[in-house]
Amino acid sequence: MTGTTDKTGTEEYFSISDLAAQLEISPSTIRFYEDKGLISPKRTAGNQRVYTRKDRARLKLIIRGKRFGASLDEIAEMIGKAGSGMDEKKQIEISLAHIEAKFDEIEDHRRELSLLEQDLKNLKALLKKRLKELR
Amino acid sequence: MTGTTDKTGTEEYFSISDLAAQLEISPSTIRFYEDKGLISPKRTAGNQRVYTRKDRARLKLIIRGKRFGASLDEIAEMIGKAGSGMDEKKQIEISLAHIEAKFDEIEDHRRELSLLEQDLKNLKALLKKRLKELR
DNA sequence: ATGATACTTAAAGTTAACTTTAACTTTAAG
DNA sequence: CTTAAAGTTAAAGTTAACTTTAAGTATCAT
Protein backbone atom coordinates (compact mmCIF):
# COMPACT_ATOMS: atom_id res chain seq x y z
CA MET A 1 0.00 0.00 0.00
CA THR A 2 1.17 3.53 -0.76
CA GLY A 3 1.31 5.82 2.24
CA THR A 4 -0.48 5.90 5.57
CA THR A 5 -2.97 8.48 6.78
CA ASP A 6 -3.06 9.65 10.38
CA LYS A 7 -6.13 10.58 12.49
CA THR A 8 -6.41 14.10 11.02
CA GLY A 9 -6.44 12.75 7.50
CA THR A 10 -4.07 15.46 6.32
CA GLU A 11 -0.68 13.92 7.13
CA GLU A 12 0.59 11.19 4.90
CA TYR A 13 3.66 9.11 5.64
CA PHE A 14 5.81 6.91 3.46
CA SER A 15 8.33 4.20 4.12
CA ILE A 16 11.61 4.32 2.28
CA SER A 17 10.70 1.60 -0.22
CA ASP A 18 7.30 3.17 -0.75
CA LEU A 19 8.85 6.52 -1.57
CA ALA A 20 11.55 4.90 -3.67
CA ALA A 21 8.89 3.22 -5.81
CA GLN A 22 7.01 6.51 -6.24
CA LEU A 23 10.13 8.35 -7.34
CA GLU A 24 11.55 5.43 -9.32
CA ILE A 25 14.87 5.48 -7.53
CA SER A 26 16.30 2.90 -5.14
CA PRO A 27 16.05 3.02 -1.35
CA SER A 28 19.85 3.13 -1.19
CA THR A 29 19.88 6.25 -3.30
CA ILE A 30 17.51 7.92 -0.85
CA ARG A 31 19.75 6.91 2.06
CA PHE A 32 22.73 8.18 0.10
CA TYR A 33 21.09 11.60 -0.32
CA GLU A 34 20.46 11.64 3.41
CA ASP A 35 24.15 10.90 4.10
CA LYS A 36 24.93 13.87 1.87
CA GLY A 37 22.68 16.06 4.03
CA LEU A 38 19.96 16.68 1.44
CA ILE A 39 17.06 15.29 3.48
CA SER A 40 16.50 14.32 7.10
CA PRO A 41 13.38 12.25 7.63
CA LYS A 42 11.90 11.50 11.04
CA ARG A 43 12.25 7.99 12.50
CA THR A 44 9.81 5.50 14.04
CA ALA A 45 10.26 4.15 17.58
CA GLY A 46 12.08 1.25 15.96
CA ASN A 47 14.46 3.62 14.12
CA GLN A 48 12.97 3.22 10.64
CA ARG A 49 12.78 6.25 8.34
CA VAL A 50 9.44 7.99 7.84
CA TYR A 51 8.92 10.43 4.98
CA THR A 52 6.29 13.18 4.65
CA ARG A 53 4.88 14.79 1.51
CA LYS A 54 7.31 17.61 2.20
CA ASP A 55 10.24 15.21 2.15
CA ARG A 56 8.94 13.81 -1.10
CA ALA A 57 8.69 17.27 -2.67
CA ARG A 58 12.27 17.94 -1.62
CA LEU A 59 13.41 14.72 -3.22
CA LYS A 60 11.54 15.53 -6.42
CA LEU A 61 13.33 18.86 -6.55
CA ILE A 62 16.67 17.12 -6.06
CA ILE A 63 15.92 14.70 -8.88
CA ARG A 64 14.84 17.49 -11.18
CA GLY A 65 17.93 19.51 -10.39
CA LYS A 66 20.04 16.52 -11.27
CA ARG A 67 18.35 15.95 -14.61
CA PHE A 68 19.13 19.51 -15.49
CA GLY A 69 22.77 18.83 -14.76
CA ALA A 70 23.37 20.13 -11.23
CA SER A 71 25.67 18.20 -8.90
CA LEU A 72 24.45 17.12 -5.49
CA ASP A 73 26.71 19.72 -3.89
CA GLU A 74 25.16 22.45 -6.02
CA ILE A 75 21.70 21.25 -5.12
CA ALA A 76 22.63 21.29 -1.46
CA GLU A 77 23.58 24.94 -1.84
CA MET A 78 20.24 25.78 -3.45
CA ILE A 79 17.92 24.00 -1.07
CA GLY A 80 20.16 24.23 2.01
CA LYS A 81 21.46 21.33 3.99
CA ALA A 82 18.52 19.73 5.77
CA GLY A 83 18.54 20.37 9.48
CA SER A 84 21.98 21.98 9.44
CA GLY A 85 22.96 23.58 12.73
CA MET A 86 23.81 26.82 10.87
CA ASP A 87 22.18 30.16 11.55
CA GLU A 88 18.89 29.92 9.68
CA LYS A 89 18.75 33.50 8.42
CA LYS A 90 22.20 33.22 6.89
CA GLN A 91 21.40 29.82 5.42
CA ILE A 92 18.25 31.13 3.74
CA GLU A 93 20.07 34.11 2.29
CA ILE A 94 22.71 31.84 0.81
CA SER A 95 20.03 29.61 -0.68
CA LEU A 96 18.23 32.59 -2.21
CA ALA A 97 21.42 33.77 -3.86
CA HIS A 98 22.05 30.34 -5.34
CA ILE A 99 18.47 30.14 -6.57
CA GLU A 100 18.79 33.47 -8.38
CA ALA A 101 21.94 32.18 -10.08
CA LYS A 102 20.07 29.04 -11.12
CA PHE A 103 17.37 31.06 -12.87
CA ASP A 104 20.08 32.49 -15.09
CA GLU A 105 21.50 29.04 -15.68
CA ILE A 106 18.09 27.77 -16.69
CA GLU A 107 17.94 30.45 -19.34
CA ASP A 108 21.40 29.49 -20.59
CA HIS A 109 20.32 25.90 -20.63
CA ARG A 110 17.31 26.73 -22.78
CA ARG A 111 19.56 28.45 -25.26
CA GLU A 112 21.94 25.47 -25.26
CA LEU A 113 19.03 23.13 -25.92
CA SER A 114 18.09 25.10 -29.02
CA LEU A 115 21.67 25.04 -30.25
CA LEU A 116 21.89 21.30 -29.69
CA GLU A 117 18.62 20.85 -31.55
CA GLN A 118 20.00 22.86 -34.46
CA ASP A 119 23.25 20.83 -34.44
CA LEU A 120 21.28 17.62 -34.58
CA LYS A 121 19.12 18.91 -37.43
CA ASN A 122 22.25 19.73 -39.41
CA LEU A 123 23.76 16.35 -38.64
CA LYS A 124 20.53 14.66 -39.70
CA ALA A 125 20.52 16.49 -43.02
CA LEU A 126 24.15 15.55 -43.60
CA LEU A 127 23.53 11.91 -42.85
CA LYS A 128 20.48 11.78 -45.11
CA LYS A 129 22.44 13.32 -47.94
CA ARG A 130 25.23 10.76 -47.42
CA LEU A 131 22.66 7.95 -47.43
CA LYS A 132 21.35 9.05 -50.83
CA GLU A 133 24.87 9.15 -52.19
CA LEU A 134 25.32 5.56 -51.10
CA ARG A 135 22.35 4.29 -53.18
CA MET B 1 48.53 31.52 -32.84
CA THR B 2 45.10 30.01 -33.48
CA GLY B 3 44.95 27.70 -36.48
CA THR B 4 46.97 27.48 -39.66
CA THR B 5 45.76 28.13 -43.17
CA ASP B 6 46.92 26.02 -46.09
CA LYS B 7 47.62 27.19 -49.66
CA THR B 8 43.94 27.11 -50.72
CA GLY B 9 42.98 29.36 -47.82
CA THR B 10 39.90 27.22 -47.10
CA GLU B 11 41.36 24.51 -44.86
CA GLU B 12 42.19 25.42 -41.32
CA TYR B 13 44.09 23.13 -38.96
CA PHE B 14 44.42 23.14 -35.20
CA SER B 15 46.84 21.53 -32.80
CA ILE B 16 45.43 19.76 -29.78
CA SER B 17 46.25 22.54 -27.33
CA ASP B 18 44.93 25.11 -29.74
CA LEU B 19 41.62 23.32 -30.04
CA ALA B 20 41.51 22.67 -26.30
CA ALA B 21 41.86 26.39 -25.64
CA GLN B 22 39.08 27.20 -28.12
CA LEU B 23 36.70 24.72 -26.55
CA GLU B 24 37.80 25.38 -22.98
CA ILE B 25 38.55 21.76 -22.22
CA SER B 26 41.92 20.12 -21.61
CA PRO B 27 44.02 18.35 -24.24
CA SER B 28 43.72 15.15 -22.20
CA THR B 29 39.96 15.34 -22.44
CA ILE B 30 40.22 15.54 -26.21
CA ARG B 31 42.53 12.51 -26.26
CA PHE B 32 40.13 10.74 -23.95
CA TYR B 33 37.24 11.33 -26.38
CA GLU B 34 39.41 9.92 -29.13
CA ASP B 35 40.10 6.78 -27.06
CA LYS B 36 36.32 6.46 -26.73
CA GLY B 37 36.00 6.57 -30.49
CA LEU B 38 34.21 9.91 -30.74
CA ILE B 39 36.76 11.62 -32.99
CA SER B 40 39.67 10.48 -35.12
CA PRO B 41 41.90 13.33 -36.23
CA LYS B 42 44.59 12.99 -38.87
CA ARG B 43 48.24 12.94 -37.82
CA THR B 44 51.33 14.82 -38.95
CA ALA B 45 54.41 13.01 -40.28
CA GLY B 46 55.71 13.19 -36.71
CA ASN B 47 52.52 11.56 -35.38
CA GLN B 48 50.97 14.65 -33.81
CA ARG B 49 47.23 15.13 -33.98
CA VAL B 50 45.81 17.63 -36.48
CA TYR B 51 42.21 18.83 -36.19
CA THR B 52 40.01 20.37 -38.88
CA ARG B 53 36.99 22.66 -38.53
CA LYS B 54 34.91 19.55 -39.00
CA ASP B 55 36.60 17.86 -36.06
CA ARG B 56 35.96 20.97 -34.02
CA ALA B 57 32.27 20.98 -34.94
CA ARG B 58 32.04 17.35 -33.89
CA LEU B 59 33.66 18.16 -30.56
CA LYS B 60 31.30 21.06 -30.01
CA LEU B 61 28.38 18.74 -30.59
CA ILE B 62 29.81 16.27 -28.09
CA ILE B 63 30.20 19.00 -25.49
CA ARG B 64 26.67 20.27 -26.07
CA GLY B 65 25.26 16.78 -25.84
CA LYS B 66 27.01 16.35 -22.53
CA ARG B 67 25.64 19.58 -21.09
CA PHE B 68 22.18 18.40 -21.92
CA GLY B 69 22.86 15.23 -19.94
CA ALA B 70 23.82 12.61 -22.52
CA SER B 71 26.55 10.10 -21.67
CA LEU B 72 29.50 9.67 -23.98
CA ASP B 73 28.14 6.28 -25.03
CA GLU B 74 24.81 7.84 -25.99
CA ILE B 75 26.59 10.55 -27.93
CA ALA B 76 28.62 7.91 -29.75
CA GLU B 77 25.36 6.31 -30.82
CA MET B 78 24.02 9.58 -32.17
CA ILE B 79 27.03 10.76 -34.07
CA GLY B 80 28.40 7.33 -34.88
CA LYS B 81 31.82 6.06 -33.90
CA ALA B 82 34.38 8.00 -35.89
CA GLY B 83 36.02 5.88 -38.55
CA SER B 84 34.42 2.67 -37.35
CA GLY B 85 34.95 -0.24 -39.72
CA MET B 86 31.20 -0.95 -39.72
CA ASP B 87 29.01 -0.92 -42.81
CA GLU B 88 28.40 2.77 -43.40
CA LYS B 89 24.79 2.53 -44.50
CA LYS B 90 23.82 0.56 -41.41
CA GLN B 91 25.80 2.94 -39.20
CA ILE B 92 24.02 5.98 -40.64
CA GLU B 93 20.62 4.42 -40.19
CA ILE B 94 21.38 3.67 -36.56
CA SER B 95 22.55 7.23 -36.02
CA LEU B 96 19.42 8.64 -37.62
CA ALA B 97 17.22 6.57 -35.34
CA HIS B 98 19.09 7.79 -32.27
CA ILE B 99 18.85 11.36 -33.46
CA GLU B 100 15.06 11.10 -33.82
CA ALA B 101 14.87 9.79 -30.27
CA LYS B 102 16.96 12.71 -29.09
CA PHE B 103 14.53 15.23 -30.55
CA ASP B 104 11.86 13.79 -28.31
CA GLU B 105 14.20 13.89 -25.36
CA ILE B 106 14.95 17.52 -26.04
CA GLU B 107 11.24 18.27 -25.80
CA ASP B 108 11.02 16.36 -22.52
CA HIS B 109 14.00 18.26 -21.30
CA ARG B 110 12.32 21.57 -22.09
CA ARG B 111 9.31 20.54 -20.09
CA GLU B 112 11.53 19.46 -17.20
CA LEU B 113 13.28 22.80 -17.26
CA SER B 114 9.98 24.60 -16.84
CA LEU B 115 9.01 22.35 -13.97
CA LEU B 116 12.36 22.94 -12.28
CA GLU B 117 11.92 26.66 -12.74
CA GLN B 118 8.50 26.47 -11.14
CA ASP B 119 9.87 24.40 -8.24
CA LEU B 120 12.57 26.96 -7.64
CA LYS B 121 10.05 29.82 -7.74
CA ASN B 122 7.97 28.06 -5.10
CA LEU B 123 11.03 27.39 -2.99
CA LYS B 124 12.06 31.02 -3.32
CA ALA B 125 8.65 32.22 -2.16
CA LEU B 126 8.78 29.84 0.79
CA LEU B 127 12.22 30.96 1.83
CA LYS B 128 11.26 34.64 1.57
CA LYS B 129 8.21 34.06 3.72
CA ARG B 130 10.35 32.27 6.29
CA LEU B 131 12.84 35.14 6.25
CA LYS B 132 10.07 37.64 7.10
CA GLU B 133 8.91 35.45 9.95
CA LEU B 134 12.42 35.54 11.37
CA ARG B 135 12.46 39.36 11.64
C1' DA C 1 5.40 -17.18 18.52
C1' DT C 2 7.32 -17.83 13.96
C1' DG C 3 8.74 -16.77 9.69
C1' DA C 4 8.97 -13.84 5.73
C1' DT C 5 9.83 -9.40 4.40
C1' DA C 6 11.57 -4.90 5.03
C1' DC C 7 14.43 -2.12 7.59
C1' DT C 8 19.11 -0.61 9.82
C1' DT C 9 24.35 0.59 9.50
C1' DA C 10 29.10 0.78 8.00
C1' DA C 11 32.09 -0.40 4.69
C1' DA C 12 33.57 -2.03 0.37
C1' DG C 13 32.77 -2.18 -4.63
C1' DT C 14 31.44 -0.11 -9.19
C1' DT C 15 31.23 2.98 -13.18
C1' DA C 16 31.81 7.05 -15.97
C1' DA C 17 34.53 10.66 -17.03
C1' DC C 18 38.28 12.56 -16.53
C1' DT C 19 43.23 13.80 -14.78
C1' DT C 20 47.84 12.87 -13.69
C1' DT C 21 52.22 10.76 -14.26
C1' DA C 22 56.29 8.96 -16.39
C1' DA C 23 59.17 8.26 -19.92
C1' DC C 24 59.96 9.48 -24.34
C1' DT C 25 59.61 12.18 -29.19
C1' DT C 26 58.64 16.13 -32.18
C1' DT C 27 58.67 20.84 -33.28
C1' DA C 28 59.83 25.83 -33.17
C1' DA C 29 63.05 29.46 -31.77
C1' DG C 30 67.52 31.23 -31.23
C1' DC D 1 72.79 22.32 -32.86
C1' DT D 2 70.62 23.01 -28.68
C1' DT D 3 66.97 23.55 -25.83
C1' DA D 4 62.35 24.61 -24.24
C1' DA D 5 57.68 23.90 -25.14
C1' DA D 6 54.38 20.93 -26.74
C1' DG D 7 53.17 16.38 -28.25
C1' DT D 8 53.01 11.04 -27.69
C1' DT D 9 51.57 6.60 -25.12
C1' DA D 10 50.11 3.44 -21.56
C1' DA D 11 48.90 3.04 -17.14
C1' DA D 12 47.62 4.52 -12.69
C1' DG D 13 44.93 7.76 -9.88
C1' DT D 14 40.75 10.65 -8.78
C1' DT D 15 35.96 12.01 -7.94
C1' DA D 16 31.00 11.83 -7.92
C1' DA D 17 27.23 9.18 -7.53
C1' DC D 18 25.65 5.34 -6.66
C1' DT D 19 25.21 0.07 -5.58
C1' DT D 20 26.17 -3.97 -3.13
C1' DT D 21 27.21 -6.65 0.81
C1' DA D 22 27.10 -8.32 5.40
C1' DA D 23 25.33 -8.74 9.65
C1' DG D 24 21.96 -7.61 12.47
C1' DT D 25 16.91 -5.44 13.94
C1' DA D 26 11.95 -4.37 13.21
C1' DT D 27 7.40 -5.20 11.50
C1' DC D 28 3.58 -7.84 9.75
C1' DA D 29 0.71 -11.85 8.63
C1' DT D 30 -0.54 -16.08 10.21
Side-chain angles (χ1 to χ4, degrees):
Chain A
M1 204 190 297
T2 285
T4 300
T5 308
D6 93 33
K7 62 267 175 195
T8 79
T10 89
E11 281 290 10
E12 217 180 337
Y13 299 108
F14 314 104
S15 72
I16 194 165
S17 55
D18 199 349
L19 190 57
Q22 288 182 48
L23 302 177
E24 300 183 84
I25 58 180
S26 78
S28 342
T29 301
I30 297 180
R31 291 193 197 100
F32 176 71
Y33 290 163
E34 183 178 340
D35 287 353
K36 286 254 143 182
L38 295 170
I39 29 169
S40 47
K42 292 274 154 46
R43 301 288 183 125
T44 64
N47 197 37
Q48 298 195 186
R49 293 171 176 84
V50 178
Y51 299 87
T52 62
R53 289 183 274 74
K54 223 178 168 188
D55 290 321
R56 184 179 56 187
R58 202 174 163 95
L59 271 172
K60 279 185 180 169
L61 176 52
I62 292 166
I63 292 165
R64 223 164 247 146
K66 266 177 40 67
R67 276 191 212 134
F68 131 90
S71 72
L72 295 182
D73 284 356
E74 284 168 347
I75 292 169
E77 283 172 337
M78 275 194 288
I79 67 183
K81 291 242 171 185
S84 79
M86 193 188 192
D87 171 37
E88 194 180 353
K89 187 168 164 280
K90 204 124 211 167
Q91 174 65 262
I92 291 178
E93 274 157 2
I94 291 171
S95 291
L96 284 172
H98 282 290
I99 289 169
E100 282 310 315
K102 283 310 162 197
F103 284 134
D104 291 348
E105 279 181 42
I106 287 175
E107 269 321 295
D108 291 350
H109 210 82
R110 286 208 172 100
R111 242 168 277 128
E112 282 282 340
L113 266 186
S114 298
L115 291 175
L116 174 63
E117 190 175 37
Q118 197 49 58
D119 281 354
L120 287 177
K121 278 180 181 162
N122 293 156
L123 179 56
K124 180 179 165 185
L126 260 165
L127 292 176
K128 287 210 156 180
K129 189 175 151 238
R130 181 79 187 121
L131 248 196
K132 291 212 169 167
E133 285 167 13
L134 286 179
R135 303 264 161 210
Chain B
M1 209 190 291
T2 285
T4 300
T5 306
D6 93 86
K7 61 266 176 198
T8 79
T10 94
E11 281 290 10
E12 217 180 338
Y13 299 108
F14 313 105
S15 72
I16 194 165
S17 54
D18 199 349
L19 190 58
Q22 287 182 49
L23 302 176
E24 299 184 85
I25 59 181
S26 78
S28 342
T29 301
I30 297 179
R31 290 192 197 99
F32 175 72
Y33 291 162
E34 184 178 341
D35 287 353
K36 287 254 142 182
L38 296 170
I39 28 170
S40 47
K42 293 273 155 46
R43 301 288 184 125
T44 64
N47 197 39
Q48 298 196 186
R49 293 170 177 84
V50 178
Y51 299 88
T52 62
R53 288 185 275 74
K54 223 179 168 186
D55 290 322
R56 184 180 55 186
R58 203 175 162 92
L59 271 171
K60 278 186 182 170
L61 176 51
I62 292 165
I63 291 165
R64 227 167 242 145
K66 266 177 39 68
R67 275 190 212 136
F68 131 91
S71 71
L72 294 182
D73 284 356
E74 283 167 348
I75 292 169
E77 283 172 337
M78 275 193 289
I79 67 183
K81 291 242 172 187
S84 80
M86 193 189 193
D87 171 38
E88 193 180 354
K89 189 170 163 278
K90 203 127 211 164
Q91 174 65 261
I92 290 178
E93 273 157 2
I94 291 171
S95 291
L96 283 172
H98 283 290
I99 288 169
E100 282 310 316
K102 283 310 163 197
F103 285 134
D104 292 348
E105 279 181 42
I106 286 174
E107 269 322 294
D108 291 350
H109 208 83
R110 286 208 172 100
R111 243 169 276 126
E112 283 282 340
L113 265 186
S114 298
L115 291 174
L116 175 62
E117 189 175 40
Q118 197 50 59
D119 279 355
L120 286 178
K121 277 180 182 164
N122 292 155
L123 179 57
K124 179 179 165 183
L126 259 166
L127 290 177
K128 285 209 158 180
K129 189 174 150 239
R130 180 79 186 119
L131 249 195
K132 290 213 170 168
E133 284 166 14
L134 285 179
R135 301 267 161 207

